[in-house]
Amino acid sequence: MGVQDYSFLRDLQVEFKDYEVTNKFSLCFWLYLNEPSTLPSTILYQEHPDVTSHAPFLLLDERKKILLFPSLISSHSNITSWREVAHAISECEFPTKKWVHVGCEVTQDLLHLYFDGKIVGEKCLTSSLSNDMGSDNSRISLTCISGKDSQLDGYVHSSELFPILSTIENHYVKDPPVQLSIDSSSAYEIEEDSDGVWSIVGGKASCRRNFDIDVTLMDNFSLPMTEEAEVVASLVYSDDNTPVEKPVDADAALLTSYDGIEYASSDRPSKVISGRASFKLKISQLSSKCDNRLFRIRFDIPKLGKYPFLEVFSRPIRCISRNRSTRATSLMLRKSSLGIHLLNGSQSPVLDDGSSDRPCIVSEAKQSPSSKRVKLGQEKLCANFKDDFVLKQANGGSRSHSWTSEDNHAHQNSLVARPVSHGGEENFSSDSENSETTNSPIDDLPSNRDPISDMVVFKYCLADLNERRLLLKEMAMTAKEEELATFAERVSLFSGCSHHRHQISISKRLIEEGINCWNLISNDNHHVLWENLVSGLQEHFLKMTFGRIRSLTHQDFNLLRRVSGCQDLVSQDNFEKLWCWLYPVAFTLSQQCISSLWGSTSPMWIEGFITKEEAESSLKSLGALQEPGTYILRFPTSRSWPHPDAGNLVVTYVGSDYTIHHRLISLEFIYRIVRSQ
């Protein structure tokens, strides 16, 4: 791959050296056209030294269809319009801003026009020429086919002339061009407004937030390019693509992070590895300080040349400050499995509305639920936990719990509690932060050799959430439960964080039961009605929680619907997002110490499925906060498998400072409290 492999359309020159084949040849090339300014317009011309005016060879008409003309004829001077000459015309419009393989077969009697290896137009010439031109329809020898007089803005790749036919399909697959694209499914920590504009928190250093996005360098068959290349990200204005100026005595408008250090994005390109370049970016310039203009992020590969197919722009971006109110219609894009279904490995298309196949952070606010609130200290929250723990100790001191399906097939789940920290502190972590580290001691590695290599272990420890999800999906399809358990222990050891273990240990069951659930509900259809999903999901949820008193309510399904990002029709992408959030929650509710809380409705220990905004709203009465100590237990909507906190509880409470706080309580922490009493 290099600059020499691509040329401008106007520079294309196909010369005929053997005049005997000028009336029987095949011309193949890859064509990339920008939007034409005028139509119709000739793409390629036929040239001959004895011909004063050029005849068209390929023409783009008013409907963006391509016309293929026969080789030059001697009586062309009598033709008032080349439309009068018999020609082949494509059945479909020619797409712009996309590589298309064009094949032209020209003989004395027949014209064939190919797009991407398939015939899209043909014309028999023998009778047509006789009718159009009379008896004088003799041909003259071509000298070349050229694009130098074309008014179209286009590019050509791998053009070849063949003296024989039936070679177009071979040329199509031999040397496809590449194109830079944005992987919409990789967007992370980006809110999408109802108007399709991305909303990103930026501004001063203390407020701006990281967001992730990947670009791909693929050939026309979606195969990644293995050659080395570097992609540069820059911030431009959406209306005219001019660069956003760097503020005086301030950071660059667009920043990128490497190893925790921020650089100007132009100074640190991202390398393309296996056809993908990943970016972790921040925007320091606010739209409000630029006359409320929208931005875009431009990705390009300068070392390969300024070609439009090696340049791609993000959606329009509105950069806001952290204090700006959350839009009720926004949708948070999160990472998933690089366009692959977690549940069956099939390709996952990007939706037309721009929504991605990602677990979502739901940031909408509703009216506060009408349920009784309980103050800290008025009830003994850990009473049931302690009874359950004592019962477990009496039955053999096992810390594991059987996950039993309806056919009584049991899987063992290792929920290993973390020991008390040396300082005896409570290990609460904020709901808005990742709990990725701990000082708890880790057990030694098992003595038996594990088939999963150290490279895979380190790859998992260093990967982001999206890459971990994909890696676990691949492992869960082939590895045994014991191998995953050993892998979980090794990840805990090398990462220094023990609560990765639970998400790894449930991965095989999560995927297998997700496949079964979707197949039962969808009945081999690609989409199902939301009403049908509700009934099927309710039944499966009760099975997972062993029918513990309380089923899902209308409020719960409202949140699940927003998590999935679906409307009346539910695709497998929607179901996958929903399942990655719901399964860890259902697994938590299946535990005996938690199920008693879930089943209690008076008082309401666990509020059900609500958002952080709804929890905060319900702690306010007529605009005033409840008394200090009043709290709500909920499941965080921002934690989906395999995030280590997926399925854990969050307490939203009024502190002594009369402000609302959010603290995550992991299951391991709960068991640690019980043992210490």
Side-chain angles (χ1 to χ4, degrees):
M1 184 180 65
V3 178
Q4 68 278 4
D5 295 326
Y6 305 97
S7 62
F8 292 101
L9 174 62
R10 60 178 177 269
D11 294 333
L12 177 63
Q13 189 88 358
V14 181
E15 296 183 356
F16 291 84
K17 296 182 179 179
D18 184 357
Y19 294 153
E20 294 180 357
V21 301
T22 55
N23 292 327
K24 185 179 179 181
F25 63 89
S26 294
L27 176 62
C28 303
F29 57 94
W30 288 90
L31 179 62
Y32 181 101
L33 287 182
N34 286 319
E35 288 290 342
S37 57
T38 58
L39 290 175
S41 186
T42 302
I43 301 174
L44 295 175
Y45 291 91
Q46 305 180 52
E47 294 184 359
H48 191 276
D50 298 333
V51 178
T52 56
S53 61
H54 299 330
F57 180 69
L58 284 179
L59 182 140
L60 187 67
D61 70 3
E62 300 86 348
R63 298 174 296 171
K64 291 187 178 180
K65 293 187 176 183
I66 287 190
L67 281 60
L68 171 64
F69 291 90
S71 55
L72 284 167
I73 52 180
S74 60
S75 58
H76 75 284
S77 58
N78 299 325
I79 301 175
T80 57
S81 172
W82 278 100
R83 298 292 185 94
E84 300 175 8
V85 178
H87 56 267
I89 183 170
S90 62
E91 302 169 352
C92 54
E93 292 184 5
F94 189 85
T96 56
K97 296 187 177 181
K98 176 183 177 182
W99 282 111
V100 178
H101 185 270
V102 178
C104 307
E105 281 185 354
V106 179
T107 69
Q108 190 79 18
D109 305 324
L110 191 66
L111 297 176
H112 274 157
L113 180 62
Y114 291 75
F115 287 174
D116 290 338
K118 297 180 181 179
I119 294 179
V120 294
E122 60 181 331
K123 185 68 175 180
C124 182
L125 296 178
T126 305
S127 59
S128 299
L129 280 178
S130 298
N131 295 334
D132 295 341
M133 311 306 302
S135 58
D136 184 12
N137 58 0
S138 59
R139 307 296 183 96
I140 62 175
S141 299
L142 289 175
T143 57
C144 74
I145 294 176
S146 172
K148 68 179 181 180
D149 293 325
S150 176
Q151 301 301 312
L152 292 172
D153 182 17
Y155 299 84
V156 176
H157 170 72
S158 185
S159 59
E160 287 192 56
L161 180 68
F162 302 98
I164 57 175
L165 305 182
S166 304
T167 56
I168 292 179
E169 292 85 351
N170 295 332
H171 185 272
Y172 170 54
V173 299
K174 185 176 69 172
D175 185 23
V178 298
Q179 188 162 351
L180 193 66
S181 304
I182 291 178
D183 181 3
S184 299
S185 63
S186 69
Y188 178 70
E189 297 294 351
I190 297 175
E191 291 185 5
E192 182 183 326
D193 293 341
S194 57
D195 56 0
V197 175
W198 283 357
S199 181
I200 294 176
V201 177
K204 58 184 181 180
S206 60
C207 299
R208 56 191 180 229
R209 298 177 186 171
N210 279 318
F211 60 96
D212 295 358
I213 194 166
D214 293 356
V215 295
T216 59
L217 187 60
M218 304 282 185
D219 66 19
N220 227 55
F221 302 113
S222 299
L223 296 177
M225 298 305 299
T226 57
E227 289 84 353
E228 290 188 2
E230 289 186 340
V231 182
V232 176
S234 56
L235 194 67
V236 299
Y237 289 108
S238 178
D239 51 0
D240 57 9
N241 293 333
T242 58
V244 177
E245 305 83 2
K246 177 184 179 297
V248 180
D249 299 328
D251 294 327
L254 186 66
L255 303 168
T256 185
S257 298
Y258 282 89
D259 299 327
I261 302 176
E262 292 183 353
Y263 301 88
S265 60
S266 57
D267 296 338
R268 293 300 297 260
S270 181
K271 289 187 177 181
V272 176
I273 301 175
S274 298
R276 180 175 295 269
S278 299
F279 290 86
K280 185 181 291 291
L281 302 169
K282 289 183 179 180
I283 299 177
S284 66
Q285 184 66 285
L286 295 174
S287 296
S288 59
K289 295 185 178 181
C290 298
D291 298 326
N292 290 320
R293 296 173 70 182
L294 299 180
F295 306 138
R296 288 183 191 269
I297 299 176
R298 178 176 62 199
F299 301 94
D300 63 339
I301 309 178
K303 291 185 178 180
L304 295 184
K306 289 291 184 180
Y307 294 108
F309 47 87
L310 296 180
E311 179 182 69
V312 66
F313 292 86
S314 72
R315 289 191 180 189
I317 293 172
R318 181 180 293 109
C319 188
I320 62 174
S321 63
R322 184 177 60 179
N323 295 330
R324 187 166 179 172
S325 59
T326 304
R327 290 175 173 80
T329 57
S330 63
L331 175 68
M332 184 71 77
L333 306 178
R334 302 297 304 271
K335 282 191 174 182
S336 185
S337 56
L338 304 181
I340 300 177
H341 279 298
L342 293 173
L343 301 182
N344 65 4
S346 63
Q347 289 297 317
S348 165
V350 179
L351 303 181
D352 291 338
D353 61 0
S355 59
S356 63
D357 53 344
R358 297 287 169 249
C360 302
I361 294 179
V362 180
S363 58
E364 300 181 59
K366 288 179 56 182
Q367 293 181 353
S368 59
S370 56
S371 58
K372 185 176 179 181
R373 306 297 168 212
V374 186
K375 291 184 181 180
L376 289 168
Q378 291 183 350
E379 299 288 347
K380 294 184 178 179
L381 177 61
C382 292
N384 291 332
F385 300 161
K386 189 170 184 179
D387 292 341
D388 293 336
F389 181 77
V390 173
L391 179 61
K392 281 189 175 185
Q393 294 295 90
N395 290 335
S398 174
R399 299 180 194 168
S400 40
H401 178 73
S402 296
W403 178 269
T404 310
S405 60
E406 192 176 45
D407 59 356
N408 295 324
H409 178 67
H411 302 275
Q412 293 300 317
N413 166 42
S414 176
L415 284 176
V416 183
R418 277 185 287 177
V420 180
S421 60
H422 296 296
E425 298 176 353
E426 296 180 349
N427 190 18
F428 285 124
S429 62
S430 171
D431 183 31
S432 61
E433 300 173 355
N434 290 339
S435 303
E436 294 292 337
T437 57
T438 179
N439 294 324
S440 304
I442 309 296
D443 297 334
D444 293 334
L445 281 175
S447 58
N448 59 313
R449 181 176 178 178
D450 182 59
I452 301 175
S453 66
D454 288 345
M455 181 66 70
V456 177
V457 176
F458 285 124
K459 180 180 178 181
Y460 187 90
C461 294
L462 298 175
D464 58 23
L465 192 63
N466 175 53
E467 294 166 337
R468 289 176 180 175
R469 184 180 293 111
L470 180 60
L471 184 60
L472 281 181
K473 178 260 172 184
E474 295 172 347
M475 294 175 58
M477 302 301 290
T478 56
K480 299 178 181 179
E481 291 276 358
E482 310 85 68
E483 295 172 346
L484 287 174
T486 304
F487 176 69
E489 293 296 328
R490 297 174 67 193
V491 168
S492 298
L493 173 65
F494 294 139
S495 66
C497 179
S498 64
H499 63 308
H500 285 288
R501 288 182 290 198
H502 174 58
Q503 303 301 328
I504 298 175
S505 66
I506 68 172
S507 57
K508 192 174 187 68
R509 279 158 283 165
L510 181 146
I511 293 173
E512 290 177 351
E513 295 192 29
I515 293 173
N516 294 335
C517 183
W518 173 252
N519 289 339
L520 288 173
I521 296 174
S522 66
N523 195 23
D524 295 330
N525 293 319
H526 297 293
H527 293 80
V528 297
L529 291 174
W530 172 254
E531 292 75 11
N532 296 337
L533 180 71
V534 166
S535 57
L537 205 59
Q538 182 76 273
E539 180 181 354
H540 208 86
F541 177 80
L542 292 175
K543 288 181 182 179
M544 290 191 292
T545 57
F546 312 116
R548 306 285 192 194
I549 306 173
R550 183 176 166 188
S551 59
L552 297 178
T553 64
H554 181 69
Q555 171 186 285
D556 299 331
F557 279 110
N558 280 341
L559 184 135
L560 290 176
R561 187 168 187 168
R562 285 180 280 167
V563 167
S564 68
C566 69
Q567 300 299 324
D568 294 332
L569 282 179
V570 184
S571 66
Q572 188 170 350
D573 298 309
N574 302 134
F575 177 79
E576 178 186 314
K577 289 185 283 187
L578 183 153
W579 187 257
C580 287
W581 186 86
L582 180 62
Y583 187 91
V585 170
F587 195 93
T588 298
L589 295 177
S590 70
Q591 310 306 304
Q592 189 174 0
C593 62
I594 304 298
S595 63
S596 57
L597 295 180
W598 176 252
S600 175
T601 56
S602 181
M604 182 77 74
W605 284 105
I606 300 178
E607 184 51 50
F609 299 167
I610 62 173
T611 66
K612 182 170 79 170
E613 290 77 15
E614 291 169 348
E616 292 176 348
S617 177
S618 62
L619 287 175
K620 299 176 182 178
S621 177
L622 299 177
L625 287 175
Q626 300 281 352
E627 296 180 20
T630 306
Y631 71 94
I632 299 170
L633 286 175
R634 61 181 179 87
F635 292 100
T637 57
S638 59
R639 300 295 188 260
S640 293
W641 178 86
H643 193 286
D645 295 332
N648 289 323
L649 286 166
V650 168
V651 55
T652 299
Y653 66 95
V654 180
S656 58
D657 56 353
Y658 284 91
T659 58
I660 296 178
H661 301 269
H662 305 273
R663 291 294 180 267
L664 186 140
I665 310 174
S666 67
L667 290 178
E668 298 182 23
F669 171 75
I670 293 175
Y671 283 117
R672 192 177 73 189
I673 292 294
V674 172
R675 285 201 310 273
S676 65
Q677 293 182 349

